Amino acid sequence: MRAVKMAPAGGLARGPWVPLAVLALLALLARAALALTERYPALSLFQQERHRQRHGPAAEWAEQYSAECDSSFLHFHESDCDIGGSSSCESILSLNTEKILSQAKLLAEQKRFPFATDNDNTNEELAIAYVLIGNGLYDEAIRHFSTMLQEEPELVSAIYGRGIAYGKKGLHDMKNAELALFELSRVISLEPDHPEVFEQRAEILSPLGRISEALSDLTKAIQLQPSARLYRHRGTLYFISEDYATAHEDFQRSLELNKNQPIAMLYKGLTFFHRGLLKEAIESFKEALKQKADFIDAYKSLGQAYRELGNFDAATESFQKALLLNQNHVQTLQLKGMMLYHHGSLDEALKNFKRCLQLEPYNEVCQYMKGLSHVAMGQFYEGIKAQTKVMLNDPLPGQKASPEYLKVKYLREYSRYLHAHLDTPLTEYNTDTDLPGNFKDHWAKNLPFLIENYEEQPGLQPHIKDVLFQNFESYKPDVQELICVADHLGSMMQYETPGFLPNKRIHRAMGLATLEVMQAVQRTWANSKVRMNGKTRLMQWRDMFDIAVKWRRIADPDQPVLWLDQMPARSLSRGFNNHINLIRGQVINMRYLEYFEKILHFIKDRILVYHGANNPKGLLEVREALEKVHKVEDLLPIMKFNSKTRDGFTVNTKVPSLKDQGKEYDGFTITITGDKVGNILFSVETQTTEERTQLYHAEIDALYKDLTAKGKILILSAELGEVDAVCNLILSLVYYFYNLMPLSRGSSVIAYSVIMGALMASGKEVSGKIPKGKASIKISKYISSLVDFEAMTAPGSEAFTKIARSWMNLKSISPSYKSLPSVSETFPTLRTMIEVLNTDSSHCLKKTIVVV
């Protein structure tokens, strides 16, 4: 660092080394020494500051480790210390006065502090104050610097040091932050060509949320003297701001200047991860691990990337390696537990959440997930106890409530409702009519629990016991066979696309739903009645879907699977939006990434149709422009028509009626908006209003009536033509269900289980798996891996039916299905449903499933 010429501070008589100002501090240091022995362990100043204040939210993804002795919070000289450590990386913490003076002398002689002067005596005084900072004696350091500044008001090193000390006192106190910024700004006005001061000021600004100012300072520092560290720091702020493309550029520049930076490589991988480029992210995480084999955060991030790919085994291996390095790593325990929960391995998930809470008793995520896991397994007493702990953790004034805090009261109320109905026959009550309308509305919309005149569900009733674990062997052989068949059928519904983790609990639930739908439809076609919601009657189409709804609800009680037309009238009149963000800013919804190309083609077609009708003269120009568009965001510069927003446009789909030829219903809306820096909002939504719902219901009613009539004929005569007609009616009916989106959650898997069950009732079984996406598409450019999106973007029910049948590979059903026991009679209550979802299914792998 360049020495700064300063006039010697006058008026003080000095001996060979011991300045008079030191003597005034000796008594204070002696009194403080004992108290500081426990406060400051033998860690370097760099380590403490890095873990305590570095980068704010970014610390969640990447811990800074002591090997990087490049703290910008307190620069002495630019150091080239290595991982093994060196004299420049050693701790300067000491509480012995003699050692402090010795360290200060060494600092002064080597001028290893910012803005050293040409005056040895001044340097001696400055060094003492910097050593005081290193010992955590910030107030004493400030007083020492202030004394020097009284005599020499523009002593840059003292101004800088006082700013550092204010910052290290704690930015939670705005007064400290303001004083630190004031002092650093003074330094910049006096010495505008020092990059470390701009970097230091950025370090103060960023935790205060003043990111744009921090970025400006880091950019100035880079202009003065580019370095790997500066690019990495600026990239981190871009990352926090969700500008992943720009962050990636900075991390890449940083790595070009110094390739051996595991932290920069990790962040580079995270910029890929958040843009949906999972394979590139995985490669970056692996490269970070080559550079630092014990890098826990790289293993943790690698596990998350594999989880998003749906690769459970690889994700488990990565999380386990992180925990082998540190079995108490809370974030890994939390993430692994959540993955296990969403894989359907609730027992294993609970172990991780409990360990997490041993280490961090107030961890809201682990506490919430612990309560949820217990409830899902039927352990309501432990579950509600954990939920109550989350409820008691009120956010501080001005603090934003966590998602878990916002959700937990809904979960507790629903848990109480489930517990009260554990042993009530499922045919005798209806969740959608039992739960209060405003409760359902707020829960589905994820609103704060502010419901006027709400009457809480009754507390747990002691005579209703928790669900006990049921061994697989305790079920009769035919029920065991039923469970194994359900597991197989459920696995057929799995999306093989990034973002969809296989969930064996959901698989079993929806497999059982499929079999129950099959059995119920067969009884209906044979003129038998069903008992639903306390009434015995002929089955309607909603009853068919309600079978799947009840299984989906109990498989994961965290999600409100509710009929939207059963919401309060006021909510329906305003419209209830099912909204999916495909891209928000630069954050890509990886579940739908493979689908973007198809939606882009769909939008282009709609644009050409619009211009053909409204702007025929400009059609050729628009067509030529659209041919150059290869990404959704490329549409923004050329499309300003039909715009509901200044910087974007919307495209509305229409759904043709089968009942009334020539009539069309509102489908869904695609919205694309953007800003000048490249952030876009690309979303789809359906608005469920009462009028729209009635139109779709009329269409589905007509199809179901026709289906029932043809199904009854099919029972008597299994001719090929009748079977095909029934299959087409089933797919057409579900086509309108998908476009209506009548449920708050879970519409896709619920509809698909109804497809499979109703087809089985007709004598046909789905043997083909859902395609993997565009990489596996050979039959049609319109096939995608997401059945609900396929229905929503198909030009009509016939097109959807044709495409679906092309990969379903329908084959004749095995007679063995007829011998399976009745699902509704075998599992007539919530207790029996939870028992069968809890039971271990590993035995099924050893059995031969007779129907497959």
Side-chain angles (χ1 to χ4, degrees):
M1 184 176 293
R2 185 184 67 188
V4 180
K5 292 185 178 182
M6 294 285 176
L12 287 177
R14 295 180 176 83
W17 159 242
V18 183
L20 291 177
V22 173
L23 301 177
L25 293 172
L26 293 182
L28 177 60
L29 287 171
R31 290 196 301 270
L34 183 61
L36 283 169
T37 302
E38 294 183 0
R39 281 182 58 197
Y40 294 93
L43 291 174
S44 74
L45 174 64
F46 307 125
Q47 282 178 284
Q48 291 183 47
E49 240 0 277
R50 202 176 296 279
H51 282 87
R52 189 161 63 92
Q53 301 199 39
R54 192 73 162 192
H55 299 319
E60 177 185 340
W61 285 103
E63 293 174 356
Q64 308 289 330
Y65 41 87
S66 59
E68 296 181 77
C69 299
D70 64 356
S71 171
S72 63
F73 220 98
L74 175 55
H75 288 303
F76 294 128
H77 275 299
E78 191 71 37
S79 170
D80 294 323
C81 58
D82 58 21
I83 292 177
S86 67
S87 59
S88 63
C89 291
E90 292 176 359
S91 170
I92 62 170
L93 296 182
S94 172
L95 300 173
N96 181 284
T97 303
E98 183 178 340
K99 287 186 178 180
I100 288 178
L101 296 176
S102 174
Q103 292 167 354
K105 181 177 181 180
L106 182 62
L107 284 181
E109 289 174 350
Q110 297 180 353
K111 296 186 177 181
R112 287 189 58 246
F113 58 87
F115 299 101
T117 73
D118 290 337
N119 186 293
D120 291 342
N121 292 330
T122 301
N123 287 342
E124 292 167 5
E125 296 275 359
L126 290 167
I128 289 172
Y130 279 108
V131 172
L132 289 173
I133 293 176
N135 279 280
L137 297 170
Y138 306 128
D139 287 326
E140 288 72 19
I142 289 169
R143 281 194 285 271
H144 193 77
F145 283 129
S146 297
T147 299
M148 298 184 73
L149 287 167
Q150 285 177 357
E151 298 185 18
E152 195 171 342
E154 294 189 352
L155 184 58
V156 175
S157 185
I159 300 171
Y160 183 81
R162 190 162 66 176
I164 296 295
Y166 278 127
K168 294 177 75 64
K169 279 184 69 175
L171 301 182
H172 56 278
D173 186 338
M174 280 302 298
K175 184 178 180 181
N176 290 335
E178 290 169 359
L179 288 169
L181 290 173
F182 176 77
E183 300 289 24
L184 292 171
S185 297
R186 284 183 64 199
V187 174
I188 289 172
S189 67
L190 293 168
E191 294 288 335
D193 297 328
H194 285 259
E196 67 271 19
V197 188
F198 287 98
E199 184 181 10
Q200 178 56 60
R201 191 166 69 175
E203 292 277 4
I204 303 291
L205 288 166
S206 56
L208 300 177
R210 296 164 65 175
I211 302 297
S212 61
E213 296 172 75
L215 284 169
S216 178
D217 274 357
L218 287 172
T219 299
K220 180 64 176 177
I222 289 170
Q223 291 170 351
L224 290 169
Q225 187 177 337
S227 71
R229 183 188 68 246
L230 285 172
Y231 277 119
R232 189 181 73 236
H233 287 184
R234 190 174 70 173
T236 302
L237 290 189
Y238 280 125
F239 180 86
I240 293 170
S241 305
E242 297 186 352
D243 187 352
Y244 301 119
T246 308
H248 175 267
E249 291 175 4
D250 272 358
F251 293 131
Q252 186 60 37
R253 290 192 188 103
S254 180
L255 289 164
E256 288 169 1
L257 292 171
N258 178 5
K259 65 180 181 180
N260 188 27
Q261 291 186 89
I263 193 71
M265 187 61 71
L266 171 68
Y267 271 105
K268 178 183 173 182
L270 291 172
T271 65
F272 285 131
F273 179 90
H274 284 281
R275 288 181 291 163
L277 304 173
L278 294 177
K279 292 180 181 178
E280 290 84 350
I282 287 170
E283 289 305 312
S284 294
F285 298 148
K286 287 181 177 179
E287 184 61 33
L289 287 165
K290 288 180 183 177
Q291 296 182 12
K292 182 173 172 59
D294 60 348
F295 197 177
I296 294 176
D297 279 308
Y299 276 122
K300 178 191 70 178
S301 299
L302 185 61
Q304 276 294 88
Y306 278 127
R307 180 202 184 282
E308 289 299 326
L309 276 177
N311 191 335
F312 175 78
D313 291 337
T316 300
E317 181 182 357
S318 296
F319 287 139
Q320 197 56 39
K321 286 180 178 178
L323 291 172
L324 285 173
L325 291 168
N326 179 4
Q327 63 180 348
N328 298 330
H329 196 257
V330 171
Q331 289 178 9
T332 302
L333 288 166
Q334 177 181 310
L335 290 171
K336 184 184 177 187
M338 293 180 72
M339 181 189 71
L340 287 165
Y341 177 87
H342 292 292
H343 181 62
S345 305
L346 272 56
D347 255 336
E348 291 300 311
L350 264 175
K351 293 176 185 176
N352 284 270
F353 297 136
K354 288 178 179 178
R355 178 61 182 156
C356 168
L357 290 167
Q358 287 176 349
L359 299 167
E360 279 188 9
Y362 297 102
N363 186 306
E364 285 191 11
V365 174
C366 289
Q367 193 70 259
Y368 179 89
M369 293 302 298
K370 177 190 173 189
L372 174 61
S373 301
H374 277 303
V375 166
M377 297 173 69
Q379 300 163 1
F380 289 91
Y381 289 88
E382 284 297 319
I384 290 179
K385 186 192 300 182
Q387 293 163 16
T388 303
K389 289 181 180 179
V390 178
M391 289 176 60
L392 295 175
N393 194 18
D394 294 320
L396 298 171
Q399 183 182 20
K400 186 178 180 181
S402 69
E404 289 71 32
Y405 182 83
L406 292 174
K407 293 192 300 181
V408 71
K409 192 159 186 179
Y410 295 107
L411 178 60
R412 191 179 75 160
E413 289 299 287
Y414 186 48
S415 300
R416 287 173 167 178
Y417 173 83
L418 293 176
H419 181 263
H421 291 80
L422 264 180
D423 299 307
T424 305
L426 291 158
T427 56
E428 302 306 311
Y429 65 94
N430 185 322
T431 301
D432 281 283
T433 55
D434 289 348
L435 293 176
N438 285 336
F439 173 87
K440 293 188 298 178
D441 184 54
H442 281 60
W443 188 20
K445 293 177 180 176
N446 199 29
L447 299 174
F449 197 100
L450 301 172
I451 306 172
E452 291 184 7
N453 303 319
Y454 177 76
E455 185 176 341
E456 289 190 348
Q457 295 286 331
L460 298 186
Q461 301 164 48
H463 71 280
I464 303 177
K465 303 302 180 183
D466 274 352
V467 176
L468 299 177
F469 181 77
Q470 190 90 348
N471 286 319
F472 183 79
E473 293 83 355
S474 67
Y475 287 108
K476 295 178 180 179
D478 60 342
V479 178
Q480 292 182 20
E481 191 67 35
L482 180 70
I483 295 169
C484 293
V485 171
D487 285 354
H488 166 71
L489 291 173
S491 69
M492 300 291 289
M493 304 179 202
Q494 178 64 40
Y495 283 150
E496 301 289 341
T497 194
F500 292 92
L501 184 74
N503 187 323
K504 59 186 181 181
R505 191 176 182 89
I506 297 289
H507 288 173
R508 177 172 298 173
M510 303 321 294
L512 288 166
T514 296
L515 291 169
E516 188 173 347
V517 168
M518 175 194 74
Q519 294 167 348
V521 171
Q522 286 175 336
R523 289 197 302 271
T524 298
W525 289 350
N527 288 318
S528 295
K529 294 183 178 181
V530 296
R531 186 160 182 81
M532 302 287 289
N533 305 326
K535 296 179 181 180
T536 303
R537 52 178 170 74
L538 291 174
M539 189 171 73
Q540 302 300 312
W541 69 264
R542 188 193 287 262
D543 301 327
M544 194 167 54
F545 286 93
D546 259 332
I547 292 169
V549 166
K550 74 174 181 181
W551 283 103
R552 179 62 181 82
R553 278 176 179 159
I554 202 59
D556 184 3
D558 189 39
Q559 297 186 354
V561 183
L562 302 164
W563 288 96
L564 298 181
D565 66 339
Q566 300 294 309
M567 294 291 183
R570 183 176 63 178
S571 177
L572 275 179
S573 64
R574 294 176 179 173
F576 192 102
N577 290 349
N578 266 313
H579 186 93
I580 302 173
N581 281 330
L582 304 180
I583 303 177
R584 182 182 61 82
Q586 294 176 15
V587 182
I588 295 175
N589 189 333
M590 285 172 278
R591 288 189 167 193
Y592 303 95
L593 184 62
E594 302 255 2
Y595 210 78
F596 285 10
E597 185 177 347
K598 179 180 179 182
I599 297 179
L600 178 60
H601 284 300
F602 175 78
I603 294 172
K604 286 182 177 182
D605 289 342
R606 299 296 297 182
I607 289 172
L608 290 174
V609 169
Y610 176 88
H611 273 277
N614 297 279
N615 182 27
K617 292 182 179 180
L619 182 59
L620 180 60
E621 182 182 353
V622 171
R623 188 187 300 277
E624 290 175 350
L626 288 175
E627 287 175 356
K628 301 175 182 177
V629 170
H630 303 290
K631 296 184 295 182
V632 171
E633 50 267 41
D634 294 340
L635 290 168
L636 286 170
I638 63 170
M639 292 310 305
K640 296 297 181 183
F641 77 93
N642 194 29
S643 177
K644 294 182 180 179
T645 58
R646 188 177 61 183
D647 298 308
F649 63 94
T650 61
V651 175
N652 301 303
T653 67
K654 294 295 181 180
V655 177
S657 170
L658 280 178
K659 183 172 68 74
D660 300 314
Q661 293 296 320
K663 189 174 182 180
E664 291 183 326
Y665 308 131
D666 288 335
F668 67 97
T669 300
I670 302 170
T671 300
I672 305 175
T673 61
D675 60 23
K676 295 179 180 178
V677 297
N679 293 314
I680 72 168
L681 175 64
F682 175 31
S683 65
V684 298
E685 68 177 21
T686 57
Q687 189 173 42
T688 303
T689 62
E690 187 172 5
E691 180 184 1
R692 181 176 182 272
T693 300
Q694 289 175 354
L695 290 171
Y696 274 89
H697 279 192
E699 193 78 29
I700 296 173
D701 285 339
L703 285 166
Y704 183 76
K705 183 179 179 180
D706 198 9
L707 173 63
T708 303
K710 284 186 167 55
K712 290 179 178 181
I713 295 172
L714 186 63
I715 293 293
L716 301 174
S717 173
E719 293 185 8
L720 183 60
E722 293 294 341
V723 174
D724 279 346
V726 168
C727 291
N728 291 341
L729 282 169
I730 291 167
L731 290 168
S732 293
L733 187 153
V734 175
Y735 164 79
Y736 288 100
F737 181 91
Y738 275 130
N739 277 282
L740 174 59
M741 282 290 169
L743 296 167
S744 58
R745 298 284 193 285
S747 292
S748 183
V749 71
I750 286 167
Y752 201 69
S753 64
V754 168
I755 288 176
M756 291 181 65
L759 287 172
M760 289 166 67
S762 75
K764 293 294 183 180
E765 179 184 1
V766 175
S767 63
K769 298 202 74 172
I770 299 170
K772 292 185 178 182
K774 63 183 181 182
S776 298
I777 295 169
K778 296 180 181 178
I779 301 168
S780 167
K781 69 177 182 179
Y782 291 112
I783 291 182
S784 109
S785 59
L786 305 178
V787 184
D788 50 352
F789 264 49
E790 183 58 45
M792 292 164 67
T793 55
S797 61
E798 291 181 3
F800 170 69
T801 298
K802 182 178 179 180
I803 291 168
R805 291 192 64 164
S806 69
W807 53 261
M808 282 184 169
N809 193 22
L810 297 179
K811 67 177 185 179
S812 296
I813 196 171
S814 168
S816 305
Y817 279 113
K818 293 182 180 179
S819 63
L820 293 174
S822 166
V823 175
S824 60
E825 293 175 7
T826 307
F827 310 112
T829 63
L830 281 176
R831 182 183 298 277
T832 54
M833 290 175 70
I834 295 173
E835 285 173 349
V836 73
L837 294 182
N838 287 347
T839 195
D840 180 27
S841 64
S842 58
H843 304 77
C844 293
L845 300 176
K846 304 171 185 177
K847 293 169 67 73
T848 301
I849 302 175
V850 298
V851 297
V852 179

